Amino acid sequence: MGQMKPMIEIYGTAVICASCVNAPSSKDTYEWLQAAINRKYPNQAYDIRYVDIEGPIENERDQDYATRIQEDEFFYPLVLINNEVVGEGYVQLKPVFSALEKMGFTPDETV
C-alpha cells in the first residue's frame, strides 16, 4: 500500500438533503461508509472524520467546505478522499472504492 493512509472526510448535517429523497443522513452515511470500507478492505489503514457543517467548525478549510455546501455548490453529505470529491448527495460505494484502490487498497475477495 502507498506510504500515506487516505483521509476520508464526510461533510454534512443531521438534516437530510432536501433533494436527496430516501437517502440516509450524513451521519448515517459516515457510519455506513466506515463499515463498508472495513468489510471490503480489512486491516488497511485510513483515517475518517465527520464534519457537521452546522456545528462548531474548527478550521478555515472545513468552514470553506461548509459554506460551499450551504451555498448549494455541493450537495451533502459531501465525501472527500485526500481532498478529492468522490461523492455528494446520494453517495455510492463504487467511486469511493475506486479511489481507495487507486491508492493501493486491496479488496478482500471473500467479501
Side-chain angles (χ1 to χ4, degrees):
M1 184 156 89
Q3 39 298 47
M4 171 174 129
K5 62 181 171 176
M7 169 56 82
I8 302 167
E9 299 170 292
I10 295 94
Y11 289 84
T13 183
V15 177
I16 294 175
C17 170
S19 61
C20 306
V21 178
N22 297 326
S25 72
S26 299
K27 191 74 168 174
D28 289 343
T29 298
Y30 162 79
E31 292 168 356
W32 168 72
L33 271 179
Q34 189 171 27
I37 292 166
N38 289 342
R39 189 171 49 250
K40 186 157 178 103
Y41 307 101
N43 306 315
Q44 297 178 61
Y46 67 95
D47 289 317
I48 188 166
R49 63 190 280 261
Y50 175 77
V51 178
D52 183 342
I53 63 170
E54 294 182 338
I57 296 189
E58 299 174 13
N59 63 57
E60 256 183 69
R61 181 180 167 278
D62 289 349
Q63 184 60 61
D64 179 56
Y65 275 110
T67 300
R68 291 166 74 187
I69 292 166
Q70 290 162 341
E71 292 175 350
D72 296 328
E73 184 177 337
F74 295 113
F75 290 114
Y76 62 87
L78 175 67
V79 179
L80 290 88
I81 298 180
N82 290 355
N83 298 314
E84 181 181 329
V85 175
V86 294
E88 59 177 308
Y90 191 79
V91 176
Q92 300 195 12
L93 289 175
K94 189 171 184 169
V96 173
F97 289 170
S98 293
L100 290 172
E101 288 174 16
K102 283 181 194 163
M103 292 175 206
F105 274 49
T106 308
D108 179 348
E109 298 302 334
T110 64
V111 176

